[in-house]
């Protein structure tokens, strides 16, 4: 365990609370060269040798340890052999809990522990929940026009919610400056602590396939924090001589907001900001992703790809996950399946490939996205037997 940070691009080292290299790229934590998973530890703490903090107990024990499900009924649709990593099983319904558990553990070690985040979605819920459980003050910065439904889900954990009147895109940097002055540990999308926690999704996937490795891991990408974590997991295991083979890292965006996929298609070395359109995948609509260039590098370094899919493809994939796998995933998460189908059609994935789709979040927070035409027949109680038999 070490508290040294490093730039993946220039190899320059730093110390917390630094978040970015002088070159502008985000930093991540160094690890030692030894690693022995602890099979008795709860959730992601199995990988504590590769984490920058100690297990704080409490709700942090509920982060990680999500199921990996073989979903063979999706194989034909996807064009490869599909496994789903179901991150919706977390207390707040998304993989964000992994980064939060590590971030809150780090904040607890400080003199005036308080945490904060810039989010109006899953990250806000996650940070608010874990702060509540750890008895930490929590500041959540949301845009002025946040939908009331989402505000209510965040507010139930009783954080200090502030609606920000101004350019929400500037808050990423502004909040870090405010955090340095006020002692609040801001856990933004790609903060090194979050990425350390979020790499455990891929550490778990790779450990489930040992002594082999999956051919590819497919996940939605927005800020690039989770995608960077996937790459970091691969690099950490390689550094410890514990990587049997390198899976292709494939990232998926919504076509309405796809700056990373655009850079991949164009063969660019860096991601440029885009003007976002409307998409049903609102959790992955970051037009200026802070770890976009790092995610792009991850896809290239692993022989993977970055693709984008339309709202129609996402809607169709979401329905397939429910009907053919019994999984209710968030709209943004269904991009994994839509993306795999694209990648198989493009020849990046082969029919025999073992592919892990990361279902990043639960769909149970979005009832409106579920089957909109649900209109079952009404049958008189007296006709029940005939009605059931007629449907089998
Ligand atoms: C945050 C989030 C993502 C995107 O993760 P990044 O680290 O921002 O790229 C994808 N899916 C869901 C459900 C999310 O909440
Ligand atoms: Zn650098």
């Amino acid at each position: 365990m070490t508290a040294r940070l490093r730039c993946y691009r220039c190899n320059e080292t730093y110390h917390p609370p630094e978040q970015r290299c002088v070159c502008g790229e985000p930093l991540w934590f160094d690890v030692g060269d030894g690693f022995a998973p602890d099979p008795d530890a709860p959730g992601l703490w199995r990988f504590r040798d590769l984490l920058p903090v100690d297990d704080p107990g409490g709700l942090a024990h509920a982060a990680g340890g999500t199921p990996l499900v073989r979903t063979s009924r999706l194989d034909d649709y996807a064009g490869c052999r599909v496994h789903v990593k179901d991150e919706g099983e977390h207390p707040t319904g998304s993989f964000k809990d992994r980064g939060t558990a590590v971030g809150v553990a780090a904040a607890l070690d400080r003199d005036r522990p308080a945490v904060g985040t810039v989010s109006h979605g899953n990250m806000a819920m996650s940070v608010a929940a874990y702060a509540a459980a750890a008895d930490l003050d929590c500041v959540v910065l949301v845009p002025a026009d946040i939908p009331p439904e989402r505000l209510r889900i965040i507010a139930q954990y009783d954080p200090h919610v502030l609606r920000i009147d101004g350019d929400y895109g500037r808050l990423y940097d502004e909040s870090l400056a405010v955090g340095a002055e006020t002692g609040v540990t801001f856990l933004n999308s790609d903060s090194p602590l979050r990425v350390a926690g979020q790499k455990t999704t891929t550490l778990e996937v790779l450990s489930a396939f040992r002594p082999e490795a999956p051919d590819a891991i497919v996940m939605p990408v927005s800020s690039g924090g989770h995608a960077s974590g996937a790459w970091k997991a691969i690099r950490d295991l390689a550094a410890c001589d514990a990587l049997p083979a390198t899976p292709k890292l494939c990232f998926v965006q919504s076509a309405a907001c796809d700056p990373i996929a655009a850079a991949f298609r164009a063969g660019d070395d860096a991601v440029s900001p885009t003007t976002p359109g409307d998409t049903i995948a609102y959790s992955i609509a970051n037009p200026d992703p802070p770890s976009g260039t790092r995610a792009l590098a991850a896809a290239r370094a692993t022989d993977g790809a970055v693709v984008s899919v339309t709202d129609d493809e996402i809607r169709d994939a979401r329905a397939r996950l429910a009907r053919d796998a019994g999984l209710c995933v968030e709209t943004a998460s269904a991009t994994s399946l839509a993306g795999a189908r694209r990648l198989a059609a493009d020849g990046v994935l082969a029919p025999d490939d073992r592919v892990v789709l990361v279902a990043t979040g639960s769909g149970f927070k979005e009832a409106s996205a579920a089957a909109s035409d649900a209109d079952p027949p009404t049958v008189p109680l007296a006709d029940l037997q005939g009605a059931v038999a007629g449907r089998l």
Side-chain angles (χ1 to χ4, degrees), residues 300-323:
R300 293 228 175 91
T302 58
D303 200 22
V306 192
V307 291
S308 45
V309 291
T310 64
D311 277 8
D312 280 346
E313 290 174 287
I314 299 170
R315 229 177 256 114
D316 194 49
R318 190 186 193 280
R320 289 285 180 153
L321 279 153
R323 287 177 198 179

Side-chain angles (χ1 to χ4, degrees), residues 100-300:
T100 304
V102 169
V104 164
L108 283 168
D109 279 342
R110 305 229 168 129
D111 289 345
R112 270 190 304 162
V115 289
T117 196
V118 178
S119 165
H120 45 97
N122 287 330
M123 194 137 81
M125 293 169 208
S126 182
V127 175
Y130 282 71
D135 196 15
L136 288 185
D137 269 326
C138 176
V139 180
V140 177
L141 308 180
V142 303
D145 62 351
I146 180 173
E149 181 58 37
R150 253 186 281 159
L151 194 53
R152 279 196 289 271
I153 298 183
I154 298 165
Q156 69 186 321
Y157 302 109
D158 202 24
H160 307 289
V161 180
L162 300 174
R163 283 187 226 248
I164 302 303
D165 178 16
D167 180 0
Y168 197 68
R170 273 184 37 210
L171 272 181
Y172 180 95
D173 291 325
E174 300 270 331
S175 65
L176 296 183
V178 168
E181 290 300 316
T182 59
V184 176
T185 302
F186 266 92
L187 300 168
N188 293 347
S189 52
D190 69 343
S191 99
L193 288 166
R194 286 204 83 93
V195 172
Q198 291 174 358
K199 75 183 175 184
T200 60
T201 310
T202 300
L203 289 173
E204 286 177 11
V205 166
L206 292 172
S207 100
F209 276 86
R210 278 187 74 80
E212 294 167 20
D215 296 287
I217 298 174
V218 185
M219 58 169 69
V221 57
S222 183
S223 71
H226 199 200
S228 300
W231 193 25
K232 188 63 163 59
I234 288 173
R235 293 168 58 125
D236 284 0
L237 292 183
C240 298
D241 268 331
L243 184 71
T246 302
K248 292 178 179 170
L249 292 180
C250 300
F251 306 130
V252 192
Q253 299 210 281
S254 163
C257 184
D258 68 346
I260 308 174
F264 184 82
R265 282 193 298 268
D268 294 345
D269 287 335
V271 173
S272 312
T274 188
T275 309
D278 267 349
T279 172
I280 54 172
Y282 55 82
S283 286
I284 55 166
N286 190 330
D288 188 9
S291 278
T293 297
R294 189 165 57 174
L296 182 67
R300 293 228 175 91

Side-chain angles (χ1 to χ4, degrees), residues 6-12 23-26 235 269-270 293:
R6 188 179 296 273
C7 174
Y8 75 96
R9 192 161 67 177
C10 349
N11 222 26
E12 203 59 56
C23 80
E25 282 297 283
R235 293 168 58 125
D269 287 335
T293 297

